[in-house]
Amino acid sequence: MRQFQIAVFDLDGTLIDSDEALVEPFLHLGLSREEITFGHPIEEFCRDRGIDVMAYVEHYDTERVQPFAGATELVEGLGRWAICSNKFNESGYAELDRLGWNPEVALFSRDFGGAEKRLAPVLERLDVEASQVVYVGDSSTDRAVAEEAGCAFVWAGWNPRTAAANPDGTVLSDPRQVLDLLEH
């Protein structure tokens, strides 16, 4: 695979192992586990299920999520990097702060008007062309976001949920492999 200048990451399920933390508030608010899917803008998913997003946020525990094995070493080895996520803004910033991670740009759900995330505003703030960026994610939504922007995409195969879905394309097995895709 070619070398890129910068990596942009989804957050949940990509850098942080947050599946159970994301599910728990929905369970508390009356959804069954089978009704819960991943990769959607939180405001849209809550609205579609008749759940007040602020009630969801009140039950979400930002302290519970942990980085995937190798994610901290990845972040420490990055120069410029960014986050593009459907996560609720306050939760995303709280987790980045707790982990001591400082991306150059971090855009979350409210930055996209509560709709699906888009890479174009991230690329604009980074002042880079799409061909210079690899987007790393764990869902078909992430892949579609990268394709829409014209960015390369790689799967976060270190997430067991992602690996079990047998994704096509480039699947990495360890977060630190992202460093091999970047120009040094």
Side-chain angles (χ1 to χ4, degrees), residues 5-7 9 15 70-81 101 175-184:
Q5 290 185 4
I6 190 165
F9 300 88
L15 290 176
T72 298
E73 294 85 353
L74 164 63
V75 168
E76 290 171 352
L78 293 169
R80 299 180 71 201
W81 65 288
W101 292 354
R176 294 165 284 214
Q177 290 175 306
V178 173
L179 296 171
D180 297 333
L181 303 176
L182 301 174
E183 295 176 353
H184 299 285

Side-chain angles (χ1 to χ4, degrees), residues 107-130:
L107 296 184
F108 296 101
S109 184
R110 285 189 178 166
D111 299 312
F112 307 108
E116 187 61 58
K117 63 188 170 190
R118 297 180 327 279
L119 278 169
V122 176
L123 302 179
E124 184 178 315
R125 290 186 186 188
L126 291 169
D127 193 27
V128 295
E129 300 294 322

Side-chain angles (χ1 to χ4, degrees), residues 159-174:
N159 178 333
R161 176 177 42 79
T162 301
N166 295 314
D168 61 344
T170 302
V171 181
L172 303 180
S173 60
D174 186 290

Side-chain angles (χ1 to χ4, degrees), residues 62-102:
T62 60
E63 297 293 319
R64 181 162 183 212
V65 301
Q66 296 299 317
F68 279 105
T72 298
E73 294 85 353
L74 164 63
V75 168
E76 290 171 352
L78 293 169
R80 299 180 71 201
W81 65 288
I83 296 288
C84 181
S85 170
N86 283 328
K87 188 176 202 77
F88 198 73
N89 289 50
E90 288 79 354
S91 301
Y93 288 123
E95 289 165 350
L96 290 174
D97 185 57
R98 181 175 58 82
L99 295 169
W101 292 354
N102 297 298

Side-chain angles (χ1 to χ4, degrees), residues 26 29 46-47 49-59:
F26 287 124
L29 295 167
C46 285
R47 183 179 56 248
R49 301 305 186 279
I51 293 173
D52 176 68
V53 70
M54 294 313 294
Y56 173 87
V57 170
E58 287 175 20
H59 293 288

